[in-house]
Amino acid sequence: VTAGGTRAPIDPVRFIGNRSSGRMGIALAAAAARRGAEVTLIAANVSLPEPAGVRRVDVETAAQLAAAAEAEFPETDVLLMAAAPADFRAAAVNDGKLARRDGLELRLEPTEDILASLAAVKTGSQTVVGFAAEHGGDAIGRARSKRSRKSADMIVLNDVSDPAIGFESADNAVTLIDSEGEIEVPIAAVALGATVIEKH
């Protein structure tokens, strides 16, 4: 299970990142462990503790997340890619802290597509589940396209335009999208140390 959000450094102090807290990934790791799975949590800048019995690997950047996931993947039955890797990084990282008075002109380049890279080499006995944080509009259509484009077995869609279930919320609701269609999972409490325990 991957969780959290990666950081792409601009200089030793500043970075490009996102608002992912890692709560969903930790809840998934806890649920898998409760079902008897041997779980590794690859945590990208996650301040929350890992569930009991779960092995944790801490990473910071998208490149580190990619390397950790690639190292674990050959022995993995199910990969849940709940982390939110930064899509872009600075083309050049400054060695020293940039001064405000000097301004900032930032050129970006794309990071690795970790989900697509791993799904491309999965075996018939492996299952790859991706996650999509979408913001309104045709969220299901975009998530369906992402599943197909990246060859994932399933995409879990989060519509983060709803503040009740957005970033860092204690509640969540998702839509599971696979080759056969969609299943809506209604709003529920995200339990970090166990499976979901409440429904509204």
Side-chain angles (χ1 to χ4, degrees):
V1 182
T2 69
T6 65
R7 297 175 179 176
I10 297 171
D11 65 15
V13 176
R14 304 173 180 92
F15 61 86
I16 301 165
N18 60 64
R19 295 173 58 195
S20 178
S21 65
R23 290 179 66 90
M24 180 184 292
I26 289 175
L28 290 168
R34 280 174 54 89
R35 290 172 174 262
E38 183 180 328
V39 182
T40 297
L41 174 71
I42 303 176
N45 307 295
V46 175
S47 61
L48 299 165
E50 69 276 10
V54 170
R55 183 169 72 92
R56 178 171 179 153
V57 177
D58 284 297
V59 298
E60 181 177 356
T61 67
Q64 292 169 354
L65 176 62
E70 288 167 7
E72 300 290 340
F73 190 60
E75 303 302 318
T76 296
D77 296 309
V78 179
L79 171 64
L80 303 177
M81 282 286 298
D87 293 320
F88 299 95
R89 63 180 163 230
V93 179
N94 204 66
D95 291 334
K97 181 183 176 184
L98 295 164
R100 179 197 296 263
R101 64 179 176 274
D102 295 332
L104 174 62
E105 191 171 307
L106 192 61
R107 189 168 67 84
L108 302 177
E109 62 184 17
T111 58
E112 303 86 344
D113 190 331
I114 305 169
L115 175 61
S117 295
L118 295 176
V121 298
K122 71 181 179 72
T123 67
S125 63
Q126 291 177 305
T127 299
V128 173
V129 179
F131 288 69
E134 297 289 348
H135 195 279
D138 183 18
I140 288 181
R142 292 193 301 274
R144 188 185 297 119
S145 174
K146 178 177 181 177
R147 190 200 72 81
S148 176
R149 190 173 66 252
K150 302 198 178 194
S151 300
D153 296 292
M154 177 182 287
I155 290 288
V156 179
L157 167 65
N158 279 99
D159 186 349
V160 296
S161 63
D162 182 348
I165 57 171
F167 291 108
E168 299 185 20
S169 172
D171 295 332
N172 203 0
V174 299
T175 303
L176 310 179
I177 301 170
D178 64 14
S179 60
E180 298 182 358
E182 297 91 39
I183 298 173
E184 290 191 12
V185 180
I187 190 167
V190 177
L192 300 182
T195 54
V196 170
I197 56 173
E198 294 180 19
K199 289 194 175 180
H200 300 278

